[in-house]
Amino acid sequence: MQAQEYRVLVINPGSTSTKIGVFHNETLIFEKSIRYDVDEINQYKTISDQYAFRRQSILESLHEEGINLSKMSAVCGRGGLLRPIQGGTYKVNEAMLADLRKGYAGQHASNLGGILAHEIATGLNIPAFIVDPVVVDELEDIARVSGFPLIERKSIFHALNQKAVARRVAKELGSTYEELNLIVVHMGGGITVGVHKHGKVIDVNNGLHGDGPFSPERAGTVPAGDLINLCFSGRYYRDEVMKMLVGKGGLAGYVGTSDAVKVQKMIEKGDQQTKLVFDAMAYQVSKEIGAASSVLSGKVDGIILTGGLAYSQSFTELIMSRVNWIADVIVHPGENELQALTEGALRVLRGEEEAKDYPGA
C-alpha cells in the first residue's frame, strides 16, 4: 500500500527576515530566507501590523519559484510568545490569533508565525498549525519552586529543537520519545538543558534571561546578592543591566564576541583568558547536565548535544569528557527549525498524534 504524500509550507519569521520552506513529506524541495530592509520593517507600529506585508512577500517568493499552492496539505508557522502550554502541534484558532496579535507574553517576530500560517491556509482551505513554541511548559510542580516565594521558576526554552531532536534520536535508538529518559542540551546564543521524561520536559533552565549555564550571549545564573548590589549601585539603568545579562553576557561580556568561531581562533592564537572562559562555559553546561541527571535519579537513556555550538568538536569534547559516565552522548549539531515544524505537522496529517486546541482566556 502506497504511503500518503503530503506537502507542507513552513514559515519561521525573524526580526528582519522570514524563512520559508516547502516540504514533500520530509524532503525539502524549496527554501528561502526573505530579507527586509530595517526601515521598511520599522514603519509598522507593532509586529502584528507586519503580517500583510510579510504575507505578500511569501506569496511572491513562492510564485517566482513556481510553487503550486493548491498542492499544499497544511501550513505550519513558528509558535510565538503565547500562554504556557503543553508540547505538541496546535491548530491555529481564534484564541491563539488574539493572543499573538496583542503579544500576550511579549512582542516578538515569532508571533507572526501562527498569523501568517492562518492567513495563507484559510485561502487554501487547509489546516494551519504551530509546533512546540518557546512557552512549552511541562514542568513538575517541584521544579517550579525557586526558593524565593515572590519568584517562580519558568519554562522558557528551545522547545521546538529540543523535542524534534529528541524524537529523532529516539527513532535512531529503535524506541519512541515517550519511552525514554533523555537530557537534551540546546547550545546556541542561549543554552538550555531539558530533562525529558517519557515525552515531557519536566525540568529545564529558563534560557531567556533566567538561570543555568552562561552562553555566548547570556550570563545565566549569577550570584544574587552581588547582582542586587550592582543594580542599586547607581551606576546603571535597568535596561543597561538587562543588556549585560542578555545579549552582552556570557562570552560576549568576557571576550567581546559571541561568535564561537572567532573565540576558537583567539584560543588557537594562544589567548589563555579566552580559553579559560570557553572551558568554563563547557564546565557549567556539564554541571547542569549532572544536575539534570539527578532529576531522573540517574536513569538516563541518552544525553543529546544540539544547536549551533554542537558543531564545535572541541566544545562538545570538553562536555563529553565530564558527563559520558552518566550515559551515551549523542551529538546532533544545528537547529533545523523548518524541518522540525514540518515533522510536527506531518505527525498530525498522518494521524500519529492529534492536533491540540489552544486554550486562550
Side-chain angles (χ1 to χ4, degrees):
M1 185 175 177
Q2 188 173 3
Q4 179 75 42
E5 295 187 348
Y6 297 101
R7 188 162 289 195
V8 182
L9 169 63
V10 287
I11 302 169
N12 183 11
S15 57
T16 59
S17 66
T18 301
K19 292 181 182 178
I20 60 172
V22 176
F23 287 77
H24 185 83
N25 291 335
E26 284 86 359
T27 302
L28 178 66
I29 60 175
F30 171 67
E31 180 180 10
K32 183 175 182 179
S33 185
I34 306 167
R35 303 196 179 279
Y36 310 115
D37 184 86
V38 175
D39 292 335
E40 195 172 24
I41 289 290
N42 288 341
Q43 68 180 310
Y44 297 97
K45 289 184 179 179
T46 67
I47 286 173
S48 61
D49 289 340
Q50 300 173 19
Y51 90 87
F53 158 69
R54 294 206 190 212
R55 174 180 175 274
Q56 187 60 32
S57 70
I58 292 168
L59 294 176
E60 286 175 357
S61 295
L62 294 170
H63 178 72
E64 289 170 4
E65 189 64 20
I67 300 293
N68 186 346
L69 286 174
S70 68
K71 292 185 177 181
M72 296 297 165
S73 308
V75 185
C76 191
R78 180 73 186 267
L81 298 177
L82 294 159
R83 299 165 192 268
I85 53 176
Q86 294 277 306
T89 299
Y90 284 78
K91 293 178 285 188
V92 180
N93 59 21
E94 289 302 322
M96 182 187 294
L97 289 170
D99 280 352
L100 289 173
R101 286 171 181 145
K102 71 182 179 185
Y104 173 84
Q107 294 291 332
H108 191 273
S110 62
N111 291 358
L112 287 164
I115 298 171
L116 289 166
H118 171 78
E119 291 294 326
I120 294 173
T122 298
L124 299 171
N125 198 29
I126 56 176
F129 303 117
I130 67 162
V131 181
D132 290 327
V134 295
V135 294
V136 164
D137 185 346
E138 300 167 338
L139 297 187
E140 292 186 339
D141 288 341
I142 198 169
R144 301 183 191 280
V145 181
S146 71
F148 183 52
L150 298 182
I151 298 175
E152 185 179 76
R153 292 189 68 240
K154 294 182 177 66
S155 177
I156 301 176
F157 70 111
H158 305 89
L160 180 64
N161 187 44
Q162 281 212 22
K163 281 184 169 277
V165 75
R167 288 180 182 278
R168 290 179 202 136
V169 168
K171 192 173 181 180
E172 291 170 8
L173 296 175
S175 187
T176 67
Y177 177 46
E178 291 73 20
E179 292 174 324
L180 298 180
N181 288 340
L182 299 167
I183 297 172
V184 184
V185 187
H186 176 101
M187 306 181 298
I191 294 175
T192 53
V193 181
V195 181
H196 297 241
K197 182 179 182 180
H198 299 160
K200 301 286 186 185
V201 183
I202 63 169
D203 200 349
V204 67
N205 63 295
N206 180 338
L208 183 59
H209 45 69
D211 48 7
F214 74 82
S215 72
E217 296 178 354
R218 295 179 175 90
T221 300
V222 294
D226 293 335
L227 179 60
I228 290 168
N229 289 336
L230 183 72
C231 290
F232 287 91
S233 67
R235 295 163 57 193
Y236 305 103
Y237 292 107
R238 177 191 179 279
D239 289 349
E240 289 178 296
V241 175
M242 185 61 79
K243 192 67 178 176
M244 286 190 288
L245 295 174
V246 183
K248 293 184 178 179
L251 283 184
Y254 279 107
V255 302
T257 179
S258 60
D259 188 328
V261 175
K262 290 182 180 178
V263 168
Q264 288 182 286
K265 286 181 179 177
M266 292 163 69
I267 294 171
E268 288 168 6
K269 291 179 180 178
D271 188 328
Q272 291 303 306
Q273 179 60 27
T274 297
K275 183 179 186 305
L276 174 64
V277 174
F278 190 72
D279 289 356
M281 186 167 66
Y283 172 80
Q284 288 199 4
V285 172
S286 303
K287 283 209 302 182
E288 196 77 13
I289 292 170
S293 71
S294 72
V295 174
L296 294 168
S297 303
K299 297 172 183 176
V300 183
D301 295 305
I303 298 166
I304 305 170
L305 305 181
T306 185
L309 266 177
Y311 284 112
S312 169
Q313 185 175 346
S314 62
F315 191 69
T316 57
E317 285 178 351
L318 283 168
I319 296 169
M320 291 164 70
S321 68
R322 291 185 181 274
V323 304
N324 58 12
W325 59 272
I326 299 170
D328 289 340
V329 181
I330 304 144
V331 181
H332 267 251
E335 183 180 9
N336 197 334
E337 294 165 331
L338 298 184
Q339 183 80 36
L341 291 170
T342 300
E343 290 168 358
L346 288 173
R347 286 194 296 274
V348 170
L349 292 172
R350 290 169 175 163
E352 296 170 6
E353 69 178 59
E354 191 173 337
K356 296 180 178 178
D357 289 311
Y358 179 74

